[in-house]
Amino acid sequence: MQTDSTRDDRSGVTPRTTPTAPTTPTAPATRTAPATPTTPTAPTAPTTAAKPVTPAHTGPTRHDPHSPPTGTAGTTGFLRALGHRWPTLLALALAVATFVDGLPPVGLLGGLLLIMPLCYLLFGALRGELRPPRVLVVQLAGLVAFGAVALLALTAGDRAGYYVLAAGWFGHAVWDFVHHRSGRVVPRAWSEWCCVVDACGALAMAVLA
């Protein structure tokens, strides 16, 4: 501790010496931790440019030269449908040719009604579709039933005979339709043809008798 012995010339009083407080040593500066290395960021993928929107075509539709005309397509479809119905067309032609000049004799129409179930038996035998035995029994029953109608028509007289035959021909048209739906015993083309002929013949006899 130092003492100032110098006197103040103006007062003649010796000043009191104030002890100086010891200086507190300064704490050493804290060492800064080394910075953590930053993980490199993956490069950002370039943004895909938006695809320009093509404006909607508002003008008239351009006709494709390779596509068939609408009218031609419709005609082709109609002709194709007629091609599938060729049995019906043949049956209509036969019905018109048979009844255009009036009614044939009762004996001829009765004989045709007897021949119809015989054709079913012949087709069934050739196609091997008369098995099981119940199929043959059904076909024989049809032969007996339609044969009985034909005989009844021959004994009933001309006018009444036509009405009896009209009922028998219509019944055979139903018989044809059932076989056409099942596809058994006779070909579908035959059952379709016979169904149309029978129905037209029944209608002609009922109207013209």
Side-chain angles (χ1 to χ4, degrees):
M1 183 173 52
Q2 298 178 356
T3 303
D4 189 1
S5 57
T6 306
R7 295 180 179 272
D8 191 345
D9 297 334
R10 290 174 294 179
S11 58
V13 179
T14 303
R16 185 176 180 180
T17 302
T18 304
T20 303
T23 303
T24 304
T26 304
T30 305
R31 177 179 296 180
T32 304
T36 305
T38 305
T39 303
T41 305
T44 305
T47 305
T48 304
K51 186 177 181 180
V53 179
T54 304
H57 180 67
T58 56
T61 304
R62 185 176 180 180
H63 177 68
D64 187 1
H66 299 288
S67 61
T70 305
T72 304
T75 304
T76 303
F78 177 72
L79 294 177
R80 186 176 300 173
L82 288 180
H84 288 304
R85 297 274 75 88
W86 65 266
T88 298
L89 298 178
L90 291 180
L92 291 174
L94 178 60
V96 170
T98 303
F99 297 100
V100 67
D101 294 331
L103 294 174
V106 172
L108 176 60
L109 297 177
L112 292 176
L113 182 59
L114 181 62
I115 291 175
M116 294 173 189
L118 287 174
C119 292
Y120 271 74
L121 285 170
L122 179 61
F123 271 119
L126 294 176
R127 289 161 57 95
E129 294 193 3
L130 295 179
R131 298 185 182 88
R134 63 182 178 83
V135 178
L136 178 60
V137 170
V138 171
Q139 298 302 319
L140 291 175
L143 175 63
V144 172
F146 292 116
V149 173
L151 291 176
L152 179 61
L154 291 176
T155 60
D158 289 342
R159 187 178 179 83
Y162 283 121
Y163 287 125
V164 173
L165 287 175
W169 278 51
F170 181 77
H172 200 271
V174 176
W175 180 271
D176 295 325
F177 179 77
V178 172
H179 283 79
H180 184 268
R181 296 290 293 177
S182 65
R184 300 291 305 276
V185 183
V186 296
R188 286 182 177 272
W190 173 269
S191 57
E192 179 182 343
W193 174 85
C194 194
C195 180
V196 176
V197 170
D198 292 344
C200 292
L203 180 61
M205 284 183 276
V207 171
L208 301 177

